[in-house]
Short mmCIF file of all heavy atoms in Angstrom, two decimals:
data_model
loop_
_atom_site.label_atom_id
_atom_site.label_comp_id
_atom_site.label_asym_id
_atom_site.label_seq_id
_atom_site.Cartn_x
_atom_site.Cartn_y
_atom_site.Cartn_z
N MET A 1 69.62 81.55 25.95
CA MET A 1 69.55 81.82 27.36
C MET A 1 69.05 83.24 27.70
O MET A 1 69.20 84.20 26.99
CB MET A 1 71.07 81.72 27.93
CG MET A 1 71.19 81.83 29.44
SD MET A 1 72.86 81.75 29.99
CE MET A 1 73.44 83.41 29.91
N GLN A 2 68.26 83.21 28.74
CA GLN A 2 67.72 84.46 29.18
C GLN A 2 68.36 84.93 30.58
O GLN A 2 68.82 84.05 31.40
CB GLN A 2 66.23 84.24 29.56
CG GLN A 2 65.35 83.81 28.32
CD GLN A 2 65.03 85.04 27.45
OE1 GLN A 2 64.77 86.20 27.78
NE2 GLN A 2 65.39 84.89 26.18
N ILE A 3 68.48 86.20 30.71
CA ILE A 3 69.11 86.68 31.96
C ILE A 3 68.01 87.68 32.59
O ILE A 3 67.71 88.62 31.89
CB ILE A 3 70.51 87.36 31.84
CG1 ILE A 3 71.35 86.30 31.11
CG2 ILE A 3 71.03 87.61 33.18
CD1 ILE A 3 72.90 86.92 30.90
N ILE A 13 72.35 97.40 28.78
CA ILE A 13 73.08 96.39 27.99
C ILE A 13 72.63 96.45 26.58
O ILE A 13 73.50 96.23 25.57
CB ILE A 13 72.70 95.03 28.66
CG1 ILE A 13 73.56 95.00 30.00
CG2 ILE A 13 73.24 93.83 27.75
CD1 ILE A 13 73.16 93.78 30.98
N ALA A 17 75.07 96.83 23.36
CA ALA A 17 74.95 95.85 22.35
C ALA A 17 74.70 96.38 20.98
O ALA A 17 75.21 95.98 20.02
CB ALA A 17 73.92 94.69 22.75
N ALA A 20 77.96 97.85 19.87
CA ALA A 20 78.90 96.88 19.54
C ALA A 20 78.55 96.33 18.19
O ALA A 20 79.37 96.15 17.30
CB ALA A 20 78.80 95.64 20.59
N GLU A 21 77.27 96.14 17.84
CA GLU A 21 76.84 95.61 16.56
C GLU A 21 77.24 96.62 15.45
O GLU A 21 77.79 96.25 14.37
CB GLU A 21 75.30 95.44 16.55
CG GLU A 21 74.91 94.62 15.37
CD GLU A 21 73.36 94.34 15.45
OE1 GLU A 21 72.65 95.38 15.52
OE2 GLU A 21 72.87 93.15 15.41
N ARG A 22 76.91 97.93 15.75
CA ARG A 22 77.27 98.97 14.83
C ARG A 22 78.85 98.97 14.40
O ARG A 22 79.22 99.13 13.28
CB ARG A 22 76.93 100.28 15.23
CG ARG A 22 76.96 101.48 14.21
CD ARG A 22 76.23 102.69 14.61
NE ARG A 22 74.87 102.50 15.25
CZ ARG A 22 74.37 103.30 16.09
NH1 ARG A 22 75.09 104.32 16.49
NH2 ARG A 22 73.16 103.07 16.56
N PHE A 23 79.67 98.78 15.51
CA PHE A 23 81.13 98.78 15.41
C PHE A 23 81.69 97.40 14.79
O PHE A 23 82.79 97.33 14.66
CB PHE A 23 81.92 99.16 16.64
CG PHE A 23 81.56 100.63 17.11
CD1 PHE A 23 81.35 100.81 18.40
CD2 PHE A 23 81.39 101.68 16.18
CE1 PHE A 23 81.17 102.03 18.90
CE2 PHE A 23 81.06 102.89 16.59
CZ PHE A 23 80.92 103.16 17.93
N GLY A 24 80.77 96.41 14.74
CA GLY A 24 81.22 95.07 14.35
C GLY A 24 82.13 94.43 15.38
O GLY A 24 82.95 93.60 15.06
N VAL A 25 81.75 94.74 16.69
CA VAL A 25 82.58 94.13 17.77
C VAL A 25 81.58 93.01 18.50
O VAL A 25 80.49 93.28 18.74
CB VAL A 25 82.94 95.22 18.82
CG1 VAL A 25 83.57 94.69 20.00
CG2 VAL A 25 83.89 96.25 18.14
N LYS A 26 82.17 91.86 18.86
CA LYS A 26 81.41 90.98 19.57
C LYS A 26 81.64 91.09 21.14
O LYS A 26 82.75 91.23 21.49
CB LYS A 26 81.84 89.51 19.18
CG LYS A 26 81.31 89.22 17.72
CD LYS A 26 81.59 87.82 17.39
CE LYS A 26 81.25 87.47 15.92
NZ LYS A 26 81.93 86.41 15.25
N ILE A 27 80.62 91.08 21.81
CA ILE A 27 80.68 91.25 23.26
C ILE A 27 79.96 90.14 24.01
O ILE A 27 79.03 89.52 23.42
CB ILE A 27 80.22 92.57 23.78
CG1 ILE A 27 78.72 92.81 23.50
CG2 ILE A 27 81.05 93.71 23.28
CD1 ILE A 27 77.96 94.05 24.16
N TYR A 28 80.55 89.73 25.17
CA TYR A 28 79.99 88.46 25.88
C TYR A 28 79.97 88.67 27.36
O TYR A 28 80.70 89.44 27.92
CB TYR A 28 81.03 87.29 25.60
CG TYR A 28 81.39 86.99 24.22
CD1 TYR A 28 82.37 87.78 23.60
CD2 TYR A 28 80.74 86.10 23.68
CE1 TYR A 28 82.73 87.46 22.21
CE2 TYR A 28 81.03 85.75 22.29
CZ TYR A 28 82.01 86.46 21.63
OH TYR A 28 82.35 86.22 20.36
N PHE A 29 79.12 87.91 27.92
CA PHE A 29 79.19 87.67 29.40
C PHE A 29 80.00 86.37 29.54
O PHE A 29 79.88 85.54 28.64
CB PHE A 29 77.84 87.38 30.08
CG PHE A 29 77.09 88.70 30.24
CD1 PHE A 29 75.76 88.74 29.75
CD2 PHE A 29 77.67 89.90 30.76
CE1 PHE A 29 75.04 89.89 29.83
CE2 PHE A 29 76.91 91.07 30.89
CZ PHE A 29 75.56 91.10 30.38
N VAL A 30 80.87 86.28 30.50
CA VAL A 30 81.62 85.00 30.68
C VAL A 30 81.90 84.66 32.11
O VAL A 30 81.81 85.45 33.01
CB VAL A 30 82.85 85.14 29.75
CG1 VAL A 30 83.82 86.12 30.24
CG2 VAL A 30 83.58 83.71 29.60
N LEU A 33 79.32 84.91 35.97
CA LEU A 33 78.02 85.37 35.69
C LEU A 33 77.18 84.28 34.89
O LEU A 33 76.04 84.05 35.18
CB LEU A 33 78.08 86.69 34.86
CG LEU A 33 76.77 87.47 34.54
CD1 LEU A 33 77.03 88.91 34.48
CD2 LEU A 33 75.95 87.10 33.42
N VAL A 34 77.78 83.80 33.79
CA VAL A 34 77.11 82.84 32.98
C VAL A 34 76.85 81.54 33.82
O VAL A 34 75.74 80.93 33.88
CB VAL A 34 77.97 82.55 31.76
CG1 VAL A 34 77.16 81.42 30.91
CG2 VAL A 34 78.24 83.78 30.95
N ILE A 48 81.60 92.62 31.23
CA ILE A 48 81.44 92.34 29.83
C ILE A 48 82.91 92.13 29.08
O ILE A 48 83.90 92.87 29.37
CB ILE A 48 80.75 93.62 29.07
CG1 ILE A 48 79.29 93.67 29.66
CG2 ILE A 48 80.81 93.43 27.62
CD1 ILE A 48 78.53 94.82 29.12
N LEU A 49 82.96 91.03 28.35
CA LEU A 49 84.22 90.70 27.65
C LEU A 49 83.99 91.18 26.21
O LEU A 49 82.98 90.89 25.57
CB LEU A 49 84.40 89.20 27.78
CG LEU A 49 85.65 88.64 27.06
CD1 LEU A 49 86.93 89.07 27.86
CD2 LEU A 49 85.67 87.17 27.00
N GLU A 51 85.42 91.10 22.47
CA GLU A 51 86.48 90.36 21.60
C GLU A 51 87.17 91.33 20.82
O GLU A 51 86.58 91.93 19.83
CB GLU A 51 85.61 89.34 20.71
CG GLU A 51 86.51 88.37 19.99
CD GLU A 51 85.71 87.33 19.26
OE1 GLU A 51 84.58 87.61 18.85
OE2 GLU A 51 86.10 86.16 19.20
N ILE A 111 87.76 84.77 20.90
CA ILE A 111 86.99 84.43 22.24
C ILE A 111 87.51 83.08 22.57
O ILE A 111 87.65 82.73 23.86
CB ILE A 111 85.49 84.37 21.99
CG1 ILE A 111 84.74 84.02 23.26
CG2 ILE A 111 84.98 83.54 20.82
CD1 ILE A 111 84.80 84.96 24.33
N LEU A 115 88.92 81.84 26.26
CA LEU A 115 88.20 80.93 27.17
C LEU A 115 89.22 79.82 27.76
O LEU A 115 89.12 79.34 28.79
CB LEU A 115 87.07 80.19 26.44
CG LEU A 115 85.83 81.16 26.03
CD1 LEU A 115 84.88 80.49 25.33
CD2 LEU A 115 85.32 81.80 27.40
N ILE A 125 82.33 79.24 30.07
CA ILE A 125 81.19 79.33 29.04
C ILE A 125 80.87 80.82 28.85
O ILE A 125 80.89 81.68 29.72
CB ILE A 125 79.89 78.76 29.69
CG1 ILE A 125 80.13 77.31 30.32
CG2 ILE A 125 78.76 78.71 28.78
CD1 ILE A 125 79.06 76.84 31.22
N ALA A 126 80.84 81.24 27.56
CA ALA A 126 80.61 82.49 27.22
C ALA A 126 79.07 82.68 26.68
O ALA A 126 78.56 81.67 26.22
CB ALA A 126 81.48 83.00 26.23
N ALA A 127 78.49 83.83 26.96
CA ALA A 127 77.26 84.09 26.35
C ALA A 127 77.32 85.44 25.55
O ALA A 127 77.48 86.42 26.10
CB ALA A 127 76.12 84.26 27.50
N ARG A 128 77.16 85.17 24.30
CA ARG A 128 77.28 86.42 23.39
C ARG A 128 76.16 87.38 23.58
O ARG A 128 74.87 86.83 23.64
CB ARG A 128 77.42 86.01 21.83
CG ARG A 128 77.54 87.18 21.04
CD ARG A 128 77.98 86.98 19.73
NE ARG A 128 77.91 88.16 19.01
CZ ARG A 128 77.81 88.33 17.68
NH1 ARG A 128 77.65 87.11 16.93
NH2 ARG A 128 77.59 89.46 17.11
N ILE A 129 76.38 88.63 23.80
CA ILE A 129 75.29 89.50 24.12
C ILE A 129 74.71 90.19 22.78
O ILE A 129 75.52 90.69 22.06
CB ILE A 129 75.73 90.78 24.96
CG1 ILE A 129 76.43 90.13 26.30
CG2 ILE A 129 74.55 91.61 25.37
CD1 ILE A 129 77.19 91.23 27.06
N LEU A 130 73.41 89.95 22.47
CA LEU A 130 72.86 90.38 21.20
C LEU A 130 71.92 91.58 21.54
O LEU A 130 71.43 91.61 22.65
CB LEU A 130 72.22 89.35 20.48
CG LEU A 130 72.98 88.21 20.13
CD1 LEU A 130 72.22 86.93 19.72
CD2 LEU A 130 74.03 88.64 19.02
N PRO A 131 71.67 92.51 20.58
CA PRO A 131 70.86 93.70 20.93
C PRO A 131 69.36 93.29 21.38
O PRO A 131 68.72 93.95 22.00
CB PRO A 131 70.84 94.47 19.60
CG PRO A 131 72.07 94.04 18.91
CD PRO A 131 72.35 92.62 19.37
N SER A 132 68.99 92.15 20.81
CA SER A 132 67.62 91.62 21.28
C SER A 132 67.63 91.08 22.65
O SER A 132 66.53 90.66 23.19
CB SER A 132 67.32 90.37 20.29
OG SER A 132 68.34 89.41 20.54
N LEU A 133 68.68 91.15 23.35
CA LEU A 133 68.84 90.65 24.68
C LEU A 133 68.67 89.11 24.74
O LEU A 133 68.27 88.62 25.70
CB LEU A 133 68.05 91.33 25.64
CG LEU A 133 68.43 92.80 25.96
CD1 LEU A 133 67.57 93.51 27.06
CD2 LEU A 133 69.78 93.03 26.19
N ASP A 134 68.97 88.42 23.76
CA ASP A 134 69.10 87.09 23.57
C ASP A 134 70.62 86.82 23.87
O ASP A 134 71.36 87.57 23.38
CB ASP A 134 68.68 86.43 22.21
CG ASP A 134 67.21 86.20 22.17
OD1 ASP A 134 66.57 86.13 23.19
OD2 ASP A 134 66.75 86.30 20.99
N TYR A 135 70.88 85.74 24.50
CA TYR A 135 72.32 85.42 24.75
C TYR A 135 72.63 84.04 24.14
O TYR A 135 72.06 83.05 24.50
CB TYR A 135 72.50 85.40 26.38
CG TYR A 135 72.28 86.77 26.94
CD1 TYR A 135 70.90 87.01 27.36
CD2 TYR A 135 73.15 87.74 26.98
CE1 TYR A 135 70.61 88.19 27.96
CE2 TYR A 135 72.88 89.03 27.52
CZ TYR A 135 71.62 89.25 27.97
OH TYR A 135 71.31 90.40 28.48
N GLU A 136 73.64 84.05 23.20
CA GLU A 136 74.04 82.90 22.49
C GLU A 136 75.16 82.26 23.28
O GLU A 136 76.21 82.80 23.41
CB GLU A 136 74.40 83.36 21.11
CG GLU A 136 74.75 82.28 20.16
CD GLU A 136 75.51 82.85 18.96
OE1 GLU A 136 75.14 83.95 18.49
OE2 GLU A 136 76.47 82.20 18.52
N ILE A 137 74.88 81.02 23.65
CA ILE A 137 75.92 80.28 24.49
C ILE A 137 77.07 79.69 23.58
O ILE A 137 76.76 79.21 22.57
CB ILE A 137 75.23 79.11 25.12
CG1 ILE A 137 74.21 79.68 26.28
CG2 ILE A 137 76.13 78.13 25.89
CD1 ILE A 137 74.87 80.11 27.58
N ILE A 138 78.26 80.01 24.05
CA ILE A 138 79.40 79.44 23.50
C ILE A 138 80.10 78.47 24.43
O ILE A 138 80.68 78.98 25.41
CB ILE A 138 80.39 80.54 22.96
CG1 ILE A 138 79.63 81.25 21.87
CG2 ILE A 138 81.67 79.93 22.35
CD1 ILE A 138 80.13 82.62 21.61
N ASP A 139 80.03 77.19 24.32
CA ASP A 139 80.41 76.22 25.29
C ASP A 139 81.37 75.18 24.71
O ASP A 139 80.96 74.06 24.56
CB ASP A 139 79.15 75.66 25.95
CG ASP A 139 79.47 74.60 27.09
OD1 ASP A 139 80.61 74.76 27.62
OD2 ASP A 139 78.60 73.89 27.26
#
Side-chain angles (χ1 to χ4, degrees):
M1 186 178 82
Q2 296 290 310
I3 306 183
I13 290 170
E21 192 176 57
R22 190 165 319 147
F23 297 141
V25 172
K26 290 183 183 158
I27 57 171
Y28 304 86
F29 290 130
V30 67
L33 187 151
V34 178
I48 292 180
L49 182 69
E51 193 171 31
I111 181 75
L115 293 177
I125 309 166
R128 181 160 171 214
I129 308 169
L130 300 166
S132 58
L133 296 186
D134 275 335
Y135 298 93
E136 183 197 322
I137 294 284
I138 295 155
D139 183 17

